Structures are given as structure tokens and as C-alpha cells.
Amino acid sequence: MAQTHAKLSEKGLLTPDNCVVTIIDLQPQMLFGVSNFDRQSIINNNLVLAKAAKVFGVPVVLSTVETKSFSGNMWPQIQAVFPKQEPIERSSMNSWDDKNFVSAVERTGRKKIVLSGLWTETCVALPTIQAIHDNYEVYVVEDCCGDVSQLAHDNAMKRVVQAGAKPVTALSVMLEWQRDWALRDTYDAVMDIVKNHCGAYGIGVEYAYTMVHGAPPTKYLEYVIPTAKK
């Protein structure tokens, strides 16, 4: 996590100091039902959001629903970003009905919520609408969300936008937090996320570093084949 970061002007924009990220129900059973977006992309985009939140020191609330009886554990890729943070377990589809979840958001003191979750029509739309009713400003990270059909997702996004939510993407949130490439305290970490998770953009960064600026190629850990457990 970045220990310090520059204070950015707000004027209606997201900054690392004015928002909280909520990551809701990123669990196997919820992803199984998604059919409107590529599911691997949803995992990837949530990693962009999660890692960016850690880089910029933005508070994160993790939550899961019916882990043992139906949905399974939070994806290990996301839990690895926050290894010491236990997701708030719920029985309610609407996390805003859960007092522990709402209390966790309230404790941050932030009134802007950057929200990701599955599925869009329930675990995203319901808390978004009620949080807006309670005077929060909600930014739904659309490419981190998904639903059982394109119609379900589209209708849910229309509903939250009509309620006052702002649709964003994981990359747009990260770049809004960075804002200025001269801010070096987070620059390298942001570029690492871009190179690992942002497809052609990341490959373009690698090309510019090596071919234009003469930097050495990025080095990744050598792939080691897992040994069979006996």
C-alpha cells in the first residue's frame, strides 16, 4: 500500500481520500451464473480495482453471502490482495440490509462508494439504490459486475443510473486516483497493474519502456510446475 500520496482536487471527481471500495459476493457460484460478460475478464477487472485500492490506500469492505451453504469462498485471487481481511458474511442478498456491512462503510467516514459485485440486478442494484437513499454517492464499476443475462445486467444498470449512480470501469477508477503521471509515489505500482491486467494497454506500456526508452524487459517469476500432492 502506498504510504503517502498527493492530495488531488476533488470538484466532483474520485480521489483516494474521498471514497471507499465495496467488493460484494465475488464467489464461485455467483460467477457461474454470469452470461453477459466474459467471466475471466470480470475476475481480471476486479483485480485491477482491488490492487489499485491497495496501492492508493483506499479503504475496502469485502462481503460474501451464504459462503458455506451455497456460494463458496471469495475468489482466492481477490483474497490474496487482502490476505488479512475477513469478508463480512451475510445471509441477505442486499448488503445494505446487513448492519455489519453498513457499519463497516460508515466507519470509513467516506460518502462516495465505489461498488463492485455479482449479480448486477440484486447484489449491486439493491445496496446501490439504498445507499443513495441514505445520502451516499455510488459509483458502480460496471466491468467488474455481471448477471445471468445481458437484459438483466442492462436493466439493472439503467435502474441504478436512474437512481443517481455513476457507471465507471476499473481502469477509469484507477486513472482517476492517479490523475497525474508526475506523481511518482504510485506510478510504478499503477504501471505494474496495467502491464499485468490491462491487455493491449499493458503490452503497449511494455513496448514503450523497452523499445522507445531503452528500459530492460519486465521480469516475471519463473513458472514452476506445481508438484503432485501424494
Side-chain angles (χ1 to χ4, degrees):
M1 180 184 295
Q3 297 301 310
T4 60
H5 56 261
K7 299 296 181 183
L8 302 177
S9 63
E10 187 169 341
K11 298 182 181 179
L13 297 181
L14 294 169
T15 77
D17 301 304
N18 70 7
C19 61
V20 53
V21 171
T22 59
I23 296 176
I24 302 169
D25 300 352
L26 300 188
Q27 299 167 264
Q29 282 283 10
M30 306 311 296
L31 190 62
F32 294 162
V34 169
S35 66
N36 66 305
F37 285 161
D38 174 69
R39 285 171 281 190
Q40 183 60 47
S41 294
I42 293 175
I43 296 173
N44 185 69
N45 295 334
N46 274 286
L47 283 169
V48 172
L49 179 65
K51 289 182 177 182
K54 191 160 189 177
V55 166
F56 287 95
V58 178
V60 175
V61 176
L62 307 176
S63 189
T64 49
V65 63
E66 294 291 347
T67 296
K68 299 300 182 184
S69 62
F70 179 74
S71 300
N73 297 320
M74 177 164 280
W75 304 338
Q77 298 96 320
I78 298 296
Q79 196 67 70
V81 181
F82 310 104
K84 298 180 181 179
Q85 187 169 341
E86 191 73 23
I88 296 168
E89 179 72 6
R90 315 181 325 275
S91 62
S92 59
M93 287 182 281
N94 176 13
S95 56
W96 213 251
D97 283 335
D98 187 275
K99 63 180 181 180
N100 294 323
F101 180 90
V102 175
S103 294
V105 173
E106 289 174 343
R107 283 195 299 271
T108 69
R110 313 289 178 93
K111 296 300 289 186
K112 296 179 187 283
I113 300 173
V114 178
L115 189 147
S116 161
L118 300 176
W119 297 326
T120 323
E121 62 187 345
T122 48
C123 302
V124 170
L126 304 185
T128 293
I129 291 167
Q130 291 199 322
I132 290 170
H133 182 271
D134 288 344
N135 298 314
Y136 285 85
E137 192 174 339
V138 182
Y139 296 74
V140 175
V141 191
E142 185 170 1
D143 62 347
C144 289
C145 306
D147 217 319
V148 296
S149 69
Q150 192 65 54
L151 177 64
H153 175 82
D154 290 346
N155 279 351
M157 289 304 303
K158 290 175 186 175
R159 186 180 183 191
V160 298
V161 169
Q162 288 168 357
K166 283 82 170 172
V168 292
T169 66
L171 180 59
S172 78
V173 170
M174 180 170 71
L175 297 182
E176 200 162 329
W177 287 337
Q178 175 67 30
R179 200 88 62 83
D180 186 343
W181 295 124
L183 301 178
R184 305 303 298 185
D185 56 338
T186 50
Y187 177 87
D188 288 340
V190 166
M191 286 296 98
D192 180 72
I193 294 171
V194 166
K195 287 190 285 185
N196 277 281
H197 298 291
C198 293
Y201 178 21
I203 293 298
V205 169
E206 178 71 12
Y207 178 87
Y209 275 18
T210 56
M211 298 294 103
V212 178
H213 301 292
T218 300
K219 295 290 186 182
Y220 291 97
L221 293 176
E222 179 185 354
Y223 176 67
V224 177
I225 300 173
T227 56
K229 294 181 180 179
K230 298 181 179 179

